[in-house]
Amino acid sequence: MGRTAAAPQFDFVFRRWGKEVEADSNLADRQPYKALIERDQGFFEGLATQEPQVVSTLMEAFARSWAGTTPEEFDAQVREWMRTVKQPKLGVPYVELVYRPMLELFDFLHAHDFRVFVCSGGGRDFTRVFAEETWGIPKENVIGSAAAYTYADGKLVRSHELLGDLDPGAGKPEHIFTHTGRLPVLAGGNADVDIQMLQSARFALLVNHDDEQREFAYTKGAETSLTKAEELGWTVVSMKNDWTTVF
């Protein structure tokens, strides 16, 4: 999923962090709240470029924000966000911004008896709700960075701790194997955080976001993956030139 997942999740998380800062002004001097208030885009780009301190700071804050909530409570918050929030540039809910070629690929793979998994560089539990309700991928087939859970008094709740290592970079093939017992036959990605996952697959597919008119044109955090694709012979898909329909 790469950045296609991260952008919606950032919207969801930033709204929560904004409310937390309003409730506790002392957070304004701590990262990532400080970067959010100051609109420090460079800080958040550190996630795409896999800067360890940025990635760990973001994921730890994400885990803290929902610590103590049940899976049902968290899912309900994600569904409310999905129902009410629109993507600023395109003016429609994020659930309507589903890549049609991706869904067509899912259908093709299912028709040929492949199992399809989503491996997100972002939070697994957010992606589970989004994937099941927009892409038709069941929750159990979603892999990603996640909070640990504890079970006590008949209730399962999120911990403030992360479960294992983070997912971007080498974490993707590591988590894929841990979750499935296999490495991928085919893997698709769109950013530098996907390089190791693509290297681990028999067939690698890299999407180039180069369509400013219908979606976005950006290469930040994808430069190395495009170079690696040329070196290793990966299939590169131009959104601008190869997709008749985007959404």
Side-chain angles (χ1 to χ4, degrees), residues 191-209:
D192 293 349
V193 295
D194 298 317
I195 289 174
Q196 290 89 341
M197 176 182 68
L198 295 173
Q199 287 177 316
S200 73
R202 295 187 217 169
F203 182 87
L205 183 70
L206 183 69
V207 176
N208 183 9
H209 289 263

Side-chain angles (χ1 to χ4, degrees), residues 172-201:
K172 286 202 171 189
E174 293 168 0
H175 286 196
I176 289 170
F177 185 83
T178 299
H179 189 95
T180 69
R182 307 174 189 274
L183 289 174
V185 174
L186 180 154
N190 66 351
D192 293 349
V193 295
D194 298 317
I195 289 174
Q196 290 89 341
M197 176 182 68
L198 295 173
Q199 287 177 316
S200 73

Side-chain angles (χ1 to χ4, degrees), residues 192 195 219 221-229 234:
D192 293 349
I195 289 174
T219 58
E223 301 94 337
T224 304
S225 61
L226 290 167
T227 300
K228 187 66 69 174
W234 297 344

